[in-house]
């Protein structure tokens, strides 16, 4: 590997990011930013690459803009996926070799209580509210590169974790680290889960958007997971299909738009359907139209949420959103010349709510994501909608 000139990269970060970002110092004094860079330059010659990258990530995260973040390299990971439920962080997917760990709570990583691990990981997460932090922590927790760079683990080849079962019995497990490009979650997911028993929001993970009509409940469910066209279907064509289906099917008594897993993209793509819906009086009613949001509702998906809030009579359910209503966005990238690290930064400010301090879009009816619902394949939001008269 060629030697990286970290001093040059840090000088570039200090010089260029304040000029490129829409308003870099909206949340902290400029001196704080420059002082942290100067202190890192004093130490950088005696640090390993993992720790250096984590230090840069902490400097950028301290800006307080969820759209401005270091695109962290990810090479080594733990052989499982996890989720932060109301009851704690649980393993939701793993390899056959470790299937006895499935649905266990993670309580310790290499001797560090999970609360301390979360605290350290939170320093490298660019977040504006607790919902988005909850969204991001699981993906960081499984990254061995980050754990090593933050001195949470002492070596990168294997990781010792402590898990707890439903009877509150704990045990230690030594897990091998695997490469990200060797991790095949789709195949594992299909084998581990009884697909037909899954709630709708956990199905069709490979699709950006899809819909399904529940004839028994007379509900049309629309899952909009990503504000982006698919290779085989555009959002425009999908929207046309939806309007035709709704207009031709009088049995549709309720309409659900699920944005809880939508991290953004292009907010304009779904606009035609939302405009049509705003004037479709048969379903544009508070007892007919429902929108589900959550911790992963972010960026363009949040813009879509506010459009529906302002232009329809929808009732909103779920969790507070990961996206902050008044926020910076419309991202571009800065590449640090020597290391090649990418810094994503905001170029525009969005003001969606009159309350400048509102941390999240707050749903009308809140439903925390509970492990006991997950394990029983229950979607409390959809259940509430279909049971409500």
């Amino acid at each position: 590997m060629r030697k990286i000139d970290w001093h040059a990269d840090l000088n570039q970060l200090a010089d260029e990011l304040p000029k490129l970002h829409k308003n870099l110092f909206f949340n902290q004094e400029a001196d704080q930013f420059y002082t942290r860079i100067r202190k890192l330059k004093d130490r950088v010659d005696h640090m390993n690459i993992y720790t250096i990258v984590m230090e840069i990530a902490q400097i950028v995260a301290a800006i307080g803009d969820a759209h401005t973040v270091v695109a962290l390299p990810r090479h080594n990971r733990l052989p499982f996926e996890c989720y932060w439920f109301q009851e704690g962080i649980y393993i939701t997917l793993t390899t056959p070799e470790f299937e006895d760990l499935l649905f266990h709570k993670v309580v310790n990583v290499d001797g560090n209580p999970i609360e301390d691990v979360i605290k350290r990981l939170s320093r490298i997460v660019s977040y504006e509210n607790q919902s988005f932090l909850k969204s991001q922590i699981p993906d960081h927790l499984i990254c061995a590169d980050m754990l090593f760079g933050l001195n949470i683990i002492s070596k990168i080849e294997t990781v010792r974790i402590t898990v707890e079962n439903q009877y509150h019995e704990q045990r230690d497990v030594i897990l091998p680290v695997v490469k990200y490009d060797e991790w095949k979650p789709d195949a594992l997911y299909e084998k581990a889960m009884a697909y037909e028993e899954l709630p709708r929001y956990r199905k069709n993970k490979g699709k950006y958007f899809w819909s399904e009509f529940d004839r028994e409940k007379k509900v049309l469910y629309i899952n909009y997971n990503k504000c982006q066209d698919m290779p085989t279907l555009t959002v425009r064509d999908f929207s046309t299909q939806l309007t035709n289906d709704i207009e031709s099917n009088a049995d549709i008594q309720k309409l659900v738009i699920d944005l809880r897993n939508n991290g953004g993209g292009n907010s304009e793509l779904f606009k035609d359907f939302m405009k049509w819906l705003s004037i479709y009086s048969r379903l544009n009613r508070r007892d007919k139209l429902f929108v589900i949001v959550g911790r992963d509702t972010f960026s363009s998906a949040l813009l879509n949420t506010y459009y529906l809030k302002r232009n329809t009579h929808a009732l909103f359910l779920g969790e507070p959103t990961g996206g902050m209503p008044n926020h910076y966005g419309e991202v571009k990238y800065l590449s640090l010349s020597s290391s090649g690290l990418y810094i994503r930064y905001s170029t525009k400010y969005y003001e969606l709510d009159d309350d400048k301090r509102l941390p999240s879009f707050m749903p009308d009816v809140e439903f925390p994501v509970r492990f006991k619902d997950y394990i029983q394949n229950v979607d409390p939001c959809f259940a509430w909608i279909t049971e409500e008269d």
Side-chain angles (χ1 to χ4, degrees), residues 71 114-115 120 129 252 261 330 347:
I114 191 64
E115 296 79 11
R120 286 203 238 176
N129 56 45
I252 297 174
N261 294 323
E330 197 73 28
T347 64

Side-chain angles (χ1 to χ4, degrees), residues 16-55:
E16 295 186 22
L17 190 58
K19 297 174 183 176
L20 295 170
H21 192 280
K22 176 67 176 177
N23 180 20
L24 192 69
F25 304 120
F26 73 98
N27 191 52
Q28 67 171 343
E29 296 294 330
D31 284 350
Q32 294 176 279
F33 176 73
Y34 294 117
T35 297
R36 295 187 72 161
I37 291 178
R38 186 177 66 252
K39 287 182 177 180
L40 179 55
K41 284 168 61 179
D42 290 341
R43 297 179 290 123
V44 74
D45 292 336
H46 308 289
M47 299 166 63
N48 66 64
I49 188 171
Y50 295 95
T51 306
I52 294 169
V53 172
M54 291 301 101
E55 290 276 351

Side-chain angles (χ1 to χ4, degrees), residues 268-285:
E268 294 297 312
L269 296 179
F270 207 42
K271 191 69 70 67
D272 286 346
F273 177 73
M274 293 189 297
K275 283 182 179 178
W276 172 84
L277 186 59
S278 69
I279 60 173
Y280 189 69
S281 58
R282 185 172 78 82
L283 291 178
N284 184 16
R285 295 166 44 184

Side-chain angles (χ1 to χ4, degrees), residues 22 90-91 96 101 120 142 159 164 261 297 301 306 318 323 338 352:
K22 176 67 176 177
Y90 285 78
I91 294 173
L101 300 181
R120 286 203 238 176
I142 62 173
V159 178
E164 181 179 288
N261 294 323
T297 308
Y306 265 92
S338 184
L352 303 179

